[in-house]
Amino acid sequence: MKLNREFYSRNTLTVAKELLGKVLVHNINGEKLKGIIVETEAYLGIRDKAAHAYGGRKTKRVEAMYGLPGTAYVYLIYGLYYCFNIVTEKEGVPEAVLIRAIEPIEGLDLMAKNRFGISYDNLTKYQKKNLTNGPGKLTRALNIDKALNMIDLCGDRLYLEEGDNSEFNIVETTRIGIDYAEEAKDFPYRFYIQGNSYVSKL
């Protein structure tokens, strides 16, 4: 079952935790690429020094964060990698959850070709483990780029589904790569499924 707007229209930290175990789907001309979300990071907008909208910043880049909950916020880092985020709370409140890692479950051949230019069966063990275990890796594998910025995740192209409701433990820890964010770098806003091999960093 596809997640609806109400799922995203809640407290950002709650959504970040409950996204774990859900399935991210990119429907590309009828071929579906799917992965179980295993790692997320929450960004609490205006009051979070690590967030792009800290202090109420409004630029073209962060426009998506002020949109409806369930909107995709896709941006480029280091001029090389796209990061995929999901807008939360309510329209006008610039908070979002970064999807940091997924466990690939469907469309593996196309994911492998997107990432490495070869079929999944020809990947090395190292390449298979590194297929989607990071925010820039998963967007490349799932072919998520700036063209999908501000897309409605309640539509039929890029969306999320319920998982299989498997039980797992959630680890809560600090976010990665935000040393500039002063005290905010120590906030425990990163969440991941304990023991999953696709988590980007333990």
Side-chain angles (χ1 to χ4, degrees), residues 6-26:
E6 286 69 33
F7 177 89
Y8 307 109
S9 307
R10 299 178 297 149
N11 174 273
T12 303
L13 293 172
T14 299
V15 174
K17 292 180 211 176
E18 294 189 10
L19 280 168
L20 296 175
K22 300 297 190 283
V23 178
L24 176 60
V25 183
H26 190 188

Side-chain angles (χ1 to χ4, degrees), residues 106-140:
E106 187 175 321
L108 274 65
D109 253 356
L110 184 52
M111 289 188 203
K113 288 172 184 174
N114 289 338
R115 278 273 284 131
F116 299 111
I118 55 177
S119 66
Y120 185 80
D121 287 343
N122 288 323
L123 297 182
T124 65
K125 185 176 180 181
Y126 177 82
Q127 286 173 321
K128 287 178 179 178
K129 182 178 179 181
N130 281 270
L131 186 59
T132 53
N133 65 338
K137 297 175 186 179
L138 74 89
T139 53
R140 182 165 291 180

Side-chain angles (χ1 to χ4, degrees), residues 36-53:
I36 300 166
I37 297 172
V38 300
E39 183 181 3
T40 63
E41 282 181 348
Y43 288 88
L44 306 190
I46 292 173
R47 64 187 188 276
D48 183 354
K49 289 180 180 177
H52 292 164

Side-chain angles (χ1 to χ4, degrees), residues 139-159:
T139 53
R140 182 165 291 180
L142 268 64
N143 197 22
I144 296 172
D145 60 19
K146 197 65 178 289
L148 294 171
N149 186 46
M150 300 186 73
I151 197 171
D152 187 355
L153 299 174
C154 296
D156 295 318
R157 185 175 175 190
L158 185 65
Y159 56 92

Side-chain angles (χ1 to χ4, degrees), residues 59-80:
T59 63
K60 186 70 176 174
R61 184 192 195 199
V62 302
E63 183 179 356
M65 289 189 74
Y66 289 87
L68 286 171
T71 296
Y73 172 37
V74 182
Y75 59 86
L76 192 65
I77 58 169
Y78 311 127
L80 294 171

